[in-house]
Amino acid sequence: MMKGIKKWRLFSLLTALMVILSGCGEKHLSTLNPAGQVGRDQLDLMLLSTGIMVLVIIVVLIVYVLAIVKFRRSKVGEDVIPKQVEGSHKLELIWTVVPIILLLILAVPTVVKTFDFADVSGMETVNEEGNKTAVTVNVEANLYWWEFEYPDLGIVTSQELVVPTQEKVYFNLIAADVKHSFWIPAAGGKMDTNVDNLNQFYLTFDDASDGLEEGVFYGKCAELCGPSHALMDFKVKSLDRDDFDAWVVKMQDSGAEQAVEGDVAQQGQDIFNKSCITCHAVSGAGTAGSVGPNLATFGDRNRVAGFMDHTEEDIKKWISNPKEYKPGNLMPQPEAINNGKKFTDQELTALTEYLMGLSVED
Amino acid sequence: MSSIAQKKGFGATLWDYLTTVDHKKIAILYLITGGLFFVIGGIEAMVIRIQLAQPDSDFVSAGLFNQMITMHGTTMIFLAAMPLLLGFMNAVMPLQIGARDVAFPFLNSLGFWLFFFGGIFLNLSWFMGGAPDAGWTSYASLALASPGHGIDFYTLGLLISGFGTLIGGINFLVTIINMRAPGMTYMRMPLFTWTTFVASALILFAFPPLTVGMVFMMVDRMFDGNFFDHTMGGNTIIWEHLFWIFGHPEVYILILPAFGIFSEIFATFSRKRLFGYSAMVFATVLIGFLGFMVWAHHMFTVGLGPTANAIFSVATMAIAVPTGVKIFNWLLTIWGGSIKFTVAMIYAVAFIPTFTAGGVTGIMLASAPLDYQLHDSYFVVAHFHYVIVGGVVLGLLAGLHYYWPLMFNTMLSEALGKWTFWLFFIGFHLTFFIQHFLGLLGMPRRVFTFGANQGWDLYNLISSIGAIGMALGVAVLVVNIIRTIVKNEKVGRDPWGDGRTLEWAVPQPVPFYNFKQTPLVRGLDTFWIEKQEGNKEGMTYAEPVGDIHMPNNSFIPVVISFGLFVAAFGALYNGEQPWAVPVLILGLVITFGAMIVRSLKDDHGYHVHKEDLMDEKGGKH
């Protein structure tokens, strides 16, 4: 009977805890609202460990509160000399063994999951035609921007990662300059992008992200990488497999001459081809390693420079003074690429018009 | 002697402190300098919290913010927490084992001055082109890319002050091994002495890897060495290993002495022997040992592979066992006791739930797959502040109140102390509890700003409001200290009435030679035993009054340290300024010259004669 009551208490406690935890946070950003199996497993571990830990805290608190209430000097008397107890082997044994058991309960799933999450063997699986079945993304972290190359599909994009749902998406991670760390909190834990070596892991996404508030998951750089570390955000779009495949085809085709609509945009393209194209590619077909972010999907994006609003006004602000908005970033000031002059308002409008037209989505 | 000391003018007092080799005065130097750096680090913390109080704030620039977080961490760990603990070790440990002084008084002074000049050098970076900005961990790829001289100040400053700490650690080890009073076996040593012993051993083994890392970094930055440059065959991960092989034991170097202080306080103010003394000693040693086996848990996301991650996960969890043993032994110490809630005891009592909270989040972080989510998020920030503020800083504040009468023969105001406690304690939980959730909600650490509407705005504001409470608490403490010094009301020997260990048996003010006769230790809590047996004199002594051999004061430690300070500027501006190399040589000449003088000049110290000792009462009792 007593045991039943205790169990019930623990259960209600865990339920309460889960309600509190799951009630928290934005769906596109919070580790408490996992978007896929990896994140879910990690949340389960979190709940398990939190449960065990809350249990420990409760035990400590009960002894603690009783002790400081019962044995205050005003209660036991001013001149009382307490019995000088040396210790108790039995108690020492209990509070050594019980924690060990509790830790084992946590250690087993920890070890299992550690190996699970490191298993990237599925990366190499091929179908009958010899094509890789899984999507692999080569992530290259650069000072304050992210490049995403799909080596098996021959496409490359930046700042906004696009992934298929309902399958493991594999990542090869590396940094181009200093160490960064690749983190999509809603999808699962982070992994560092080292300068020295390639790291590999995988994430999964259950549903297409268009149901989210802004239609994207938030990604973050989690390792201090310089002044604009805080601004090194990226976004993740998850698409159902069919949509993803369609997107891939469009990306592969974006290499063909894109129709530029209107005179203003045409002028923008001219300026772009004169000043910007050295660093920025506008074709999604290609490989990694460009100096600046690939802009093939610029018009489809959720942010400018990773963190500014995707509006014409902010694009102009960004182009005319990148150093101010993202301290320490490597994009040249306009004077350096436009014969020593700032861009005029008219030129900015043209560039903006052109950039906003760069799109592979409908 | 002591009455003459009190009548000295300011200049003479200053000279006295510059040249002192007395562990009690060096303790005061550590306390003043460490306290000063604590305030500086606190101001840096306030700047951080002001900046993060609102989204998209521009209170400080991104670059300056990174300097703030770097210097906040570095200052608090290396220049505040550790020196303050070394201060308490100096003040208490030799008395606690009934020694005249530490084993090498001259080195003790040298250790302090190296720390002092290293700390000053590091902080001068603020005025000389910018502070280090790669985080207190200074990961190699970022540190090598960092422009300006910030990182050079970091490596050189920490090298100099690190030597000081290493010297201090070795000194304490030798002291505890060799200079215990007759009868004080290892298993009769008070817990603070035990924790000092283990922490010193950790310093001995942990600082060399840091020194190696710092030298590599210095060579890389100044002479284009390639230890960490991966394009030239170097490897940045090696820095991470070197740093954390030092960095994790460092956590225990800080927390173990705090555990020691709390152990003394629990026993004293419960009027009860420490419960499970031998288990406590064993747990301390075990924590010290395991502390070296777990460094890679700071690197779970680096990509060490699942085998390494699993091993380090389990090893890290194992540390929870001895730590839990300690928590329960403290609880059982106050259980059945007679608890007096002095300010020191209030801190100790508040420490238990706070530190337990920090400990359990540590277990969560120990689980590698879970750590992938929590690592480098605000959850980690919350965790280590719970451990370091909730453990170390509460320990320092408790120790300050508890040992103040021993060090200064006066007592800090209990009323103001309680104000400090409540402001600081509530402020602390307000600041850091919510940060766990910020981390879970996806906020990375070390961000100089954050965009609005990511669900973080309110929590950050609450956190910043809490920080004000902590700042106010420290302000009240400063007032308390000044008031106590001005009032200068002497309290005499064993002011708490329930002192148990040897340090409370020494007369007040403490004579410069400590115990006139070396005491005889008859058990654990030896002073308590004597009091319980009605010993009027307070102690049993192991020897008749005799001549006491004392070391002479010396200015040489200041000169040696100052030489390195000068040389560091030369090294810093090497290749940039024409005067750099001459200054470097000048500094080294000063240092080595002073060392040669020290080596060649015989200094035999002096004797305090038996007759003088007989005349002198050496305190109120």
Side-chain angles (χ1 to χ4, degrees):
Chain A
M1 183 64 196
M2 266 311 276
K3 215 178 163 190
I5 290 174
K6 271 186 191 154
K7 254 188 187 163
W8 177 82
R9 276 185 191 157
L10 187 68
F11 177 74
S12 64
L13 194 83
L14 282 176
T15 324
L17 200 74
M18 272 165 77
V19 171
I20 295 169
L21 289 179
S22 59
C24 282
E26 311 279 345
K27 245 187 132 133
H28 54 267
L29 179 60
S30 172
T31 64
L32 305 175
N33 274 318
Q37 194 53 43
V38 176
R40 215 162 20 246
D41 285 347
Q42 284 162 342
L43 181 63
D44 288 346
L45 263 178
M46 191 188 305
L47 291 176
L48 174 68
S49 56
T50 311
I52 296 172
M53 295 311 142
V54 168
L55 188 77
V56 172
I57 287 184
I58 288 174
V59 173
V60 169
L61 278 185
I62 291 172
V63 183
Y64 172 79
V65 171
L66 283 178
I68 61 175
V69 171
K70 275 176 74 171
F71 301 105
R72 39 183 65 228
R73 192 159 296 173
S74 54
K75 247 187 164 167
V76 298
E78 197 56 42
D79 296 323
V80 173
I81 301 294
K83 192 161 166 264
Q84 303 292 306
V85 192
E86 275 196 31
S88 155
H89 285 300
K90 210 163 104 191
L91 284 174
E92 299 287 354
L93 207 63
I94 292 175
W95 60 55
T96 307
V97 173
V98 174
I100 290 179
I101 295 170
L102 291 178
L103 287 173
L104 281 177
I105 296 175
L106 182 61
V108 172
T110 291
V111 172
V112 171
K113 285 294 154 201
T114 304
F115 281 92
D116 274 2
F117 291 153
D119 179 14
V120 289
S121 54
M123 217 168 176
E124 300 302 329
T125 313
V126 287
N127 59 15
E128 300 92 48
E129 291 135 45
N131 293 325
K132 300 239 172 93
T133 49
V135 173
T136 299
V137 185
N138 292 343
V139 177
E140 189 180 71
N142 295 268
L143 276 170
Y144 321 129
W145 64 278
W146 300 85
E147 181 164 72
F148 305 112
E149 180 196 20
Y150 301 71
D152 308 318
L153 306 171
I155 57 175
V156 60
T157 182
S158 67
Q159 298 297 54
E160 215 165 281
L161 171 68
V162 180
V163 291
T165 58
Q166 305 284 353
E167 61 184 273
K168 285 182 180 173
V169 183
Y170 294 90
F171 296 93
N172 290 317
L173 306 161
I174 200 156
D177 29 49
V178 303
K179 185 183 174 94
H180 306 271
S181 188
F182 177 80
W183 188 26
I184 308 166
K190 61 190 72 62
M191 194 154 207
D192 293 354
T193 58
N194 297 325
V195 292
D196 319 88
N197 63 297
L198 206 65
N199 274 336
Q200 299 183 318
F201 81 146
Y202 69 89
L203 292 170
T204 57
F205 296 81
D206 291 342
D207 301 312
S209 59
D210 52 13
L212 297 170
E213 201 180 308
E214 294 174 59
V216 287
F217 294 103
Y218 279 27
K220 302 273 173 191
C221 173
E223 182 65 58
L224 180 65
C225 53
S228 287
H229 161 56
L231 307 176
M232 195 172 154
D233 288 1
F234 61 98
K235 301 288 178 278
V236 186
K237 215 174 260 181
S238 58
L239 301 173
D240 293 334
R241 187 68 205 219
D242 296 342
D243 295 341
F244 178 77
D245 290 338
W247 177 80
V248 169
V249 172
K250 282 184 196 155
M251 280 295 279
Q252 286 163 339
D253 293 346
S254 68
E257 195 63 31
Q258 281 187 338
V260 177
E261 289 165 23
D263 289 349
V264 186
Q266 185 60 53
Q267 190 203 349
Q269 187 180 32
D270 294 343
I271 301 168
F272 189 92
N273 287 343
K274 195 157 58 84
S275 301
C276 317
I277 206 154
T278 333
C279 304
H280 294 285
V282 288
S283 156
T287 53
S290 59
V291 182
N294 184 298
L295 299 178
T297 62
F298 188 88
D300 305 329
R301 286 189 198 156
N302 171 282
R303 287 288 198 280
V304 176
F307 73 103
M308 295 167 84
D309 287 336
H310 197 251
T311 59
E312 293 184 3
E313 190 193 348
D314 276 23
I315 296 173
K316 288 178 193 170
K317 274 199 220 162
W318 169 247
I319 296 174
S320 27
N321 202 349
K323 288 273 178 295
E324 188 195 327
Y325 291 97
K326 220 173 186 178
N329 101 89
L330 302 175
M331 175 154 152
Q333 294 293 100
E335 293 87 337
I337 49 174
N338 191 37
N339 306 325
K341 293 190 304 259
K342 285 201 162 300
F343 289 119
T344 63
D345 275 349
Q346 205 271 328
E347 284 171 322
L348 285 171
T349 310
L351 269 173
T352 307
E353 182 84 13
Y354 169 68
L355 288 169
M356 281 299 213
L358 292 172
S359 163
V360 298
E361 289 173 29
D362 307 319
Chain B
M1 279 274 181
S2 53
S3 56
I4 299 166
Q6 277 163 13
K7 281 173 198 147
K8 279 186 201 159
F10 175 75
T13 312
L14 185 69
W15 180 249
D16 185 35
Y17 273 90
L18 283 172
T19 57
T20 188
V21 294
D22 180 347
H23 71 98
K24 298 179 288 295
K25 286 181 180 161
I26 290 172
I28 293 170
L29 289 174
Y30 268 118
L31 226 54
I32 295 170
T33 320
L36 192 71
F37 283 127
F38 181 76
V39 170
I40 293 173
I43 292 168
E44 284 151 8
M46 292 310 291
V47 172
I48 295 171
R49 277 325 313 172
I50 293 172
Q51 167 74 5
L52 294 177
Q54 297 168 13
D56 303 315
S57 161
D58 57 359
F59 178 70
V60 290
S61 71
L64 187 58
F65 183 88
N66 286 355
Q67 296 176 26
M68 285 289 165
I69 56 163
T70 304
M71 286 301 282
H72 168 69
T74 312
T75 303
M76 285 304 198
I77 298 278
F78 290 98
L79 308 181
M82 217 160 33
L84 286 170
L85 287 167
L86 287 173
F88 286 123
M89 291 174 183
N90 260 308
V92 179
M93 186 273 289
L95 293 171
Q96 220 168 31
I97 61 172
R100 286 262 170 264
D101 202 318
V102 292
F104 308 114
F106 178 89
L107 284 187
N108 200 15
S109 164
L110 179 60
F112 169 77
W113 288 108
L114 283 170
F115 145 69
F116 177 85
F117 281 109
I120 297 289
F121 182 79
L122 179 54
N123 271 278
L124 281 177
S125 61
W126 285 116
F127 310 103
M128 303 181 73
D133 59 357
W136 87 283
T137 53
S138 204
Y139 275 11
S141 63
L142 182 60
L144 291 181
S146 171
H149 279 302
I151 304 296
D152 304 325
F153 276 104
Y154 171 91
T155 51
L156 288 163
L158 289 187
L159 268 176
I160 295 174
S161 75
F163 282 133
T165 311
L166 185 60
I167 288 173
I170 293 171
N171 206 348
F172 289 144
L173 277 178
V174 179
T175 306
I176 294 173
I177 292 172
N178 289 308
M179 297 180 69
R180 283 165 289 133
M184 177 157 286
T185 59
Y186 278 104
M187 290 312 276
R188 282 181 186 171
M189 288 193 327
L191 218 72
F192 182 65
T193 298
W194 256 115
T195 52
T196 300
F197 184 66
V198 176
S200 301
L202 294 185
I203 288 175
L204 178 62
F205 290 107
F207 268 73
L210 177 74
T211 307
V212 169
M214 290 293 169
V215 171
F216 282 1
M217 179 70 81
M218 186 181 76
V219 170
D220 266 15
R221 282 190 53 103
M222 290 178 186
F223 312 113
D224 295 323
N226 295 318
F227 292 106
F228 304 124
D229 183 354
H230 72 288
T231 57
M232 301 298 286
N235 189 303
T236 59
I237 312 297
I238 291 180
W239 166 268
E240 295 186 33
H241 281 294
L242 285 171
F243 187 86
W244 288 117
I245 287 172
F246 149 78
H248 197 77
E250 169 68 18
V251 178
Y252 296 102
I253 293 170
L254 295 177
I255 197 66
L256 287 177
F259 283 173
I261 292 172
F262 286 127
S263 300
E264 305 291 333
I265 290 173
F266 280 126
T268 302
F269 294 111
S270 306
R271 278 191 185 151
K272 219 169 135 253
R273 191 194 141 103
L274 194 66
F275 191 90
Y277 170 81
S278 36
M280 286 296 252
V281 170
F282 185 69
T284 306
V285 176
L286 192 63
I287 291 174
F289 179 75
L290 287 176
F292 278 99
M293 307 289 153
V294 297
W295 78 90
H297 68 215
H298 297 271
M299 300 166 61
F300 281 151
T301 64
V302 168
L304 303 176
T307 314
N309 280 0
I311 290 171
F312 279 99
S313 270
V314 176
T316 306
M317 288 181 190
I319 290 196
V321 177
T323 314
V325 166
K326 278 181 168 286
I327 296 275
F328 283 108
N329 275 307
W330 284 320
L331 286 175
L332 266 281
T333 302
I334 60 175
W335 187 275
S338 165
I339 306 168
K340 186 177 181 189
F341 285 103
T342 58
V343 172
M345 185 63 168
I346 293 174
Y347 277 114
V349 164
F351 149 80
I352 288 190
T354 312
F355 189 79
T356 308
V360 298
T361 51
I363 299 293
M364 297 173 75
L365 290 164
S367 171
L370 179 51
D371 179 75
Y372 298 160
Q373 276 289 21
L374 306 177
H375 179 78
D376 268 345
S377 77
Y378 255 83
F379 191 92
V380 173
V381 177
H383 159 72
F384 68 69
H385 281 96
Y386 261 77
V387 178
I388 294 197
V389 181
V392 182
V393 177
L394 288 187
L396 289 169
L397 292 171
L400 189 69
H401 281 267
Y402 183 60
Y403 288 124
W404 188 275
L406 181 71
M407 295 178 75
F408 301 103
N409 198 17
T410 59
M411 204 178 265
L412 289 170
S413 155
E414 292 279 294
L416 284 178
K418 281 174 190 167
W419 272 101
T420 299
F421 169 79
W422 286 112
L423 285 167
F424 192 83
F425 187 71
I426 295 172
F428 163 75
H429 282 283
L430 209 54
T431 309
F432 293 108
F433 187 72
I434 205 106
Q435 291 186 358
H436 292 112
F437 294 94
L438 277 174
L440 296 177
L441 298 183
M443 180 160 165
R445 71 189 279 208
R446 291 168 165 172
V447 288
F448 82 94
T449 188
F450 56 94
N453 302 319
Q454 299 188 83
W456 306 339
D457 305 6
L458 178 65
Y459 289 5
N460 271 302
L461 181 63
I462 292 172
S463 184
S464 293
I465 291 171
I468 297 171
M470 295 173 80
L472 288 177
V474 174
V476 174
L477 178 69
V478 173
V479 172
N480 194 354
I481 289 172
I482 294 170
R483 225 188 80 172
T484 308
I485 292 171
V486 172
K487 276 170 92 180
N488 200 19
E489 284 171 20
K490 302 297 180 197
V491 290
R493 184 197 204 187
D494 193 15
W496 301 112
D498 291 321
R500 305 177 69 85
T501 38
L502 210 43
E503 75 269 29
W504 302 110
V506 75
Q508 281 288 359
V510 185
F512 64 94
Y513 46 77
N514 297 353
F515 290 95
K516 197 188 293 179
Q517 299 153 272
T518 304
L520 179 71
V521 178
R522 299 199 294 139
L524 180 67
D525 295 340
T526 177
F527 185 43
W528 175 264
I529 294 173
E530 302 290 344
K531 281 196 287 187
Q532 291 303 302
E533 292 183 359
N535 183 342
K536 288 258 160 39
E537 210 186 332
M539 266 324 289
T540 306
Y541 295 102
E543 57 174 19
V545 178
D547 288 2
I548 298 173
H549 182 208
M550 295 298 290
N552 282 323
N553 282 2
S554 173
F555 189 57
I556 292 177
V558 177
V559 179
I560 294 178
S561 311
F562 179 73
L564 286 179
F565 176 76
V566 172
F569 281 105
L572 191 85
Y573 288 107
N574 181 31
E576 250 175 59
Q577 302 283 353
W579 47 260
V581 174
V583 165
L584 176 66
I585 293 168
L586 174 73
L588 292 176
V589 165
I590 294 174
T591 295
F592 286 105
M595 285 177 171
I596 290 168
V597 170
R598 168 74 184 169
S599 306
L600 297 182
K601 213 183 90 187
D602 280 340
D603 181 354
H604 295 297
Y606 64 99
H607 282 84
V608 184
H609 294 291
K610 191 175 160 185
E611 299 74 38
D612 302 328
L613 287 169
M614 291 296 208
D615 300 341
E616 203 186 318
K617 298 293 278 180
K620 276 187 178 173
H621 274 266

